[in-house]
Short mmCIF file of all heavy atoms in Angstrom, two decimals:
data_model
loop_
_atom_site.label_atom_id
_atom_site.label_comp_id
_atom_site.label_asym_id
_atom_site.label_seq_id
_atom_site.Cartn_x
_atom_site.Cartn_y
_atom_site.Cartn_z
N GLU A 190 -14.94 -5.00 1.39
CA GLU A 190 -15.19 -6.35 0.94
C GLU A 190 -13.90 -7.09 0.80
O GLU A 190 -12.87 -6.44 0.74
CB GLU A 190 -15.97 -6.30 -0.36
CG GLU A 190 -17.35 -5.58 -0.26
CD GLU A 190 -17.95 -5.43 -1.63
OE1 GLU A 190 -17.96 -6.35 -2.46
OE2 GLU A 190 -18.46 -4.32 -1.84
N PRO A 191 -13.85 -8.41 0.68
CA PRO A 191 -12.61 -9.09 0.50
C PRO A 191 -11.85 -8.47 -0.73
O PRO A 191 -12.47 -8.35 -1.82
CB PRO A 191 -12.99 -10.54 0.27
CG PRO A 191 -14.25 -10.69 0.95
CD PRO A 191 -14.96 -9.34 0.84
N GLY A 192 -10.61 -8.08 -0.56
CA GLY A 192 -9.81 -7.52 -1.61
C GLY A 192 -10.05 -6.07 -1.81
O GLY A 192 -9.35 -5.41 -2.57
N GLY A 193 -10.96 -5.41 -1.03
CA GLY A 193 -11.23 -3.95 -1.12
C GLY A 193 -10.21 -3.20 -0.30
O GLY A 193 -9.45 -3.70 0.45
N MET A 194 -10.21 -1.91 -0.53
CA MET A 194 -9.20 -1.00 0.11
C MET A 194 -9.14 -1.15 1.65
O MET A 194 -8.08 -1.34 2.17
CB MET A 194 -9.42 0.43 -0.27
CG MET A 194 -8.87 0.81 -1.65
SD MET A 194 -7.06 0.62 -1.78
CE MET A 194 -6.50 1.91 -0.70
N PRO A 195 -10.30 -1.11 2.41
CA PRO A 195 -10.16 -1.29 3.85
C PRO A 195 -9.48 -2.60 4.22
O PRO A 195 -8.59 -2.58 5.13
CB PRO A 195 -11.64 -1.28 4.32
CG PRO A 195 -12.27 -0.46 3.33
CD PRO A 195 -11.61 -0.83 1.99
N SER A 196 -9.80 -3.68 3.52
CA SER A 196 -9.17 -4.92 3.79
C SER A 196 -7.70 -4.92 3.55
O SER A 196 -6.81 -5.38 4.33
CB SER A 196 -9.88 -6.04 2.95
OG SER A 196 -9.20 -7.27 3.05
N LEU A 197 -7.25 -4.37 2.41
CA LEU A 197 -5.89 -4.21 2.05
C LEU A 197 -5.13 -3.28 3.05
O LEU A 197 -3.95 -3.56 3.34
CB LEU A 197 -5.75 -3.62 0.64
CG LEU A 197 -6.25 -4.60 -0.51
CD1 LEU A 197 -6.13 -3.88 -1.85
CD2 LEU A 197 -5.49 -5.91 -0.53
N LEU A 198 -5.79 -2.25 3.47
CA LEU A 198 -5.19 -1.35 4.56
C LEU A 198 -4.90 -2.05 5.81
O LEU A 198 -3.87 -1.93 6.43
CB LEU A 198 -6.01 -0.14 4.69
CG LEU A 198 -6.10 0.86 3.56
CD1 LEU A 198 -7.16 1.92 3.82
CD2 LEU A 198 -4.72 1.53 3.29
N ARG A 199 -5.82 -2.92 6.27
CA ARG A 199 -5.66 -3.64 7.49
C ARG A 199 -4.52 -4.62 7.39
O ARG A 199 -3.72 -4.75 8.21
CB ARG A 199 -7.02 -4.38 7.81
CG ARG A 199 -8.06 -3.55 8.40
CD ARG A 199 -9.31 -4.38 8.88
NE ARG A 199 -10.42 -3.51 8.89
CZ ARG A 199 -11.37 -3.50 7.91
NH1 ARG A 199 -11.26 -4.35 6.94
NH2 ARG A 199 -12.37 -2.70 7.98
N GLU A 200 -4.46 -5.27 6.18
CA GLU A 200 -3.31 -6.20 5.96
C GLU A 200 -2.02 -5.45 6.04
O GLU A 200 -1.04 -5.90 6.62
CB GLU A 200 -3.47 -6.90 4.61
CG GLU A 200 -4.54 -7.96 4.49
CD GLU A 200 -4.65 -8.50 3.10
OE1 GLU A 200 -3.60 -8.49 2.36
OE2 GLU A 200 -5.75 -8.94 2.76
N ALA A 201 -1.88 -4.33 5.43
CA ALA A 201 -0.62 -3.57 5.34
C ALA A 201 -0.27 -2.95 6.68
O ALA A 201 0.94 -2.99 7.01
CB ALA A 201 -0.82 -2.41 4.32
N LEU A 202 -1.23 -2.65 7.52
CA LEU A 202 -0.92 -2.10 8.81
C LEU A 202 -0.66 -3.11 9.82
O LEU A 202 -0.07 -2.90 10.94
CB LEU A 202 -2.14 -1.17 9.31
CG LEU A 202 -2.36 0.09 8.48
CD1 LEU A 202 -3.66 0.71 8.92
CD2 LEU A 202 -1.18 1.03 8.63
N GLY A 203 -1.01 -4.37 9.52
CA GLY A 203 -0.78 -5.52 10.49
C GLY A 203 -1.55 -5.30 11.79
O GLY A 203 -1.11 -5.83 12.83
N GLU A 204 -2.65 -4.57 11.67
CA GLU A 204 -3.46 -4.40 12.91
C GLU A 204 -4.94 -4.71 12.70
O GLU A 204 -5.36 -4.76 11.59
CB GLU A 204 -3.34 -2.88 13.33
CG GLU A 204 -2.01 -2.31 13.52
CD GLU A 204 -2.02 -0.83 13.60
OE1 GLU A 204 -3.10 -0.23 13.93
OE2 GLU A 204 -0.91 -0.20 13.49
N ASP A 205 -5.60 -4.83 13.77
CA ASP A 205 -7.06 -5.02 13.70
C ASP A 205 -7.63 -3.60 13.80
O ASP A 205 -8.15 -3.20 14.81
CB ASP A 205 -7.58 -5.94 14.80
CG ASP A 205 -9.06 -6.31 14.62
OD1 ASP A 205 -9.58 -6.19 13.46
OD2 ASP A 205 -9.73 -6.48 15.64
N THR A 206 -7.53 -2.83 12.73
CA THR A 206 -7.85 -1.45 12.74
C THR A 206 -9.33 -1.28 12.24
O THR A 206 -9.76 -1.88 11.35
CB THR A 206 -6.96 -0.63 11.76
OG1 THR A 206 -5.57 -0.96 12.17
CG2 THR A 206 -7.13 0.85 11.82
N ASP A 207 -10.02 -0.27 12.84
CA ASP A 207 -11.33 0.15 12.38
C ASP A 207 -11.15 1.11 11.16
O ASP A 207 -10.73 2.23 11.39
CB ASP A 207 -12.04 0.78 13.47
CG ASP A 207 -13.50 1.26 13.10
OD1 ASP A 207 -13.97 0.78 12.09
OD2 ASP A 207 -14.07 2.08 13.78
N ILE A 208 -11.36 0.62 9.95
CA ILE A 208 -11.16 1.46 8.78
C ILE A 208 -12.56 1.64 8.16
O ILE A 208 -13.19 0.61 7.84
CB ILE A 208 -10.17 0.89 7.83
CG1 ILE A 208 -8.80 0.82 8.56
CG2 ILE A 208 -10.08 1.67 6.55
CD1 ILE A 208 -7.67 0.21 7.72
N ARG A 209 -12.91 2.88 7.89
CA ARG A 209 -14.22 3.17 7.36
C ARG A 209 -14.08 4.03 6.08
O ARG A 209 -13.36 4.99 5.99
CB ARG A 209 -15.08 3.92 8.38
CG ARG A 209 -15.36 3.14 9.57
CD ARG A 209 -15.87 3.99 10.72
NE ARG A 209 -16.09 3.20 11.90
CZ ARG A 209 -17.36 2.91 12.43
NH1 ARG A 209 -18.37 3.40 11.80
NH2 ARG A 209 -17.46 2.15 13.50
N THR A 210 -14.77 3.59 5.00
CA THR A 210 -14.78 4.22 3.76
C THR A 210 -15.77 5.38 3.80
O THR A 210 -16.88 5.23 4.20
CB THR A 210 -15.21 3.30 2.64
OG1 THR A 210 -14.37 2.10 2.60
CG2 THR A 210 -15.18 3.95 1.25
N VAL A 211 -15.31 6.60 3.51
CA VAL A 211 -16.18 7.79 3.62
C VAL A 211 -16.51 8.35 2.22
O VAL A 211 -17.40 9.22 2.07
CB VAL A 211 -15.59 8.89 4.48
CG1 VAL A 211 -15.53 8.45 5.96
CG2 VAL A 211 -14.25 9.35 4.03
N HIS A 212 -15.78 7.92 1.13
CA HIS A 212 -16.16 8.32 -0.18
C HIS A 212 -15.67 7.05 -1.02
O HIS A 212 -14.95 6.24 -0.58
CB HIS A 212 -15.51 9.60 -0.58
CG HIS A 212 -14.02 9.57 -0.71
ND1 HIS A 212 -13.34 9.41 -1.91
CD2 HIS A 212 -13.06 9.67 0.28
CE1 HIS A 212 -12.01 9.40 -1.67
NE2 HIS A 212 -11.78 9.52 -0.40
N ARG A 213 -16.01 7.12 -2.26
CA ARG A 213 -15.64 6.01 -3.20
C ARG A 213 -15.01 6.50 -4.44
O ARG A 213 -15.20 7.66 -4.90
CB ARG A 213 -16.92 5.23 -3.56
CG ARG A 213 -17.56 4.58 -2.41
CD ARG A 213 -18.81 3.88 -2.85
NE ARG A 213 -19.49 3.32 -1.67
CZ ARG A 213 -20.41 2.40 -1.76
NH1 ARG A 213 -20.85 1.93 -2.89
NH2 ARG A 213 -21.04 1.93 -0.68
N LEU A 214 -14.27 5.59 -5.07
CA LEU A 214 -13.77 5.81 -6.44
C LEU A 214 -14.15 4.48 -7.12
O LEU A 214 -14.14 3.40 -6.57
CB LEU A 214 -12.18 5.85 -6.46
CG LEU A 214 -11.60 7.13 -6.08
CD1 LEU A 214 -10.07 7.04 -6.13
CD2 LEU A 214 -12.02 8.31 -6.98
N ASP A 215 -14.59 4.66 -8.36
CA ASP A 215 -14.93 3.45 -9.20
C ASP A 215 -13.79 2.46 -9.27
O ASP A 215 -12.62 2.86 -9.24
CB ASP A 215 -15.28 3.84 -10.61
CG ASP A 215 -16.61 4.66 -10.77
OD1 ASP A 215 -17.38 4.55 -9.80
OD2 ASP A 215 -16.82 5.29 -11.76
#
Side-chain angles (χ1 to χ4, degrees):
E190 300 172 42
M194 278 299 291
S196 173
L197 296 175
L198 291 170
R199 284 187 204 99
E200 286 177 28
L202 294 170
E204 305 171 15
D205 187 26
T206 308
D207 181 16
I208 297 178
R209 295 166 182 249
T210 304
V211 293
H212 68 97
R213 297 179 183 195
L214 284 177
D215 290 342

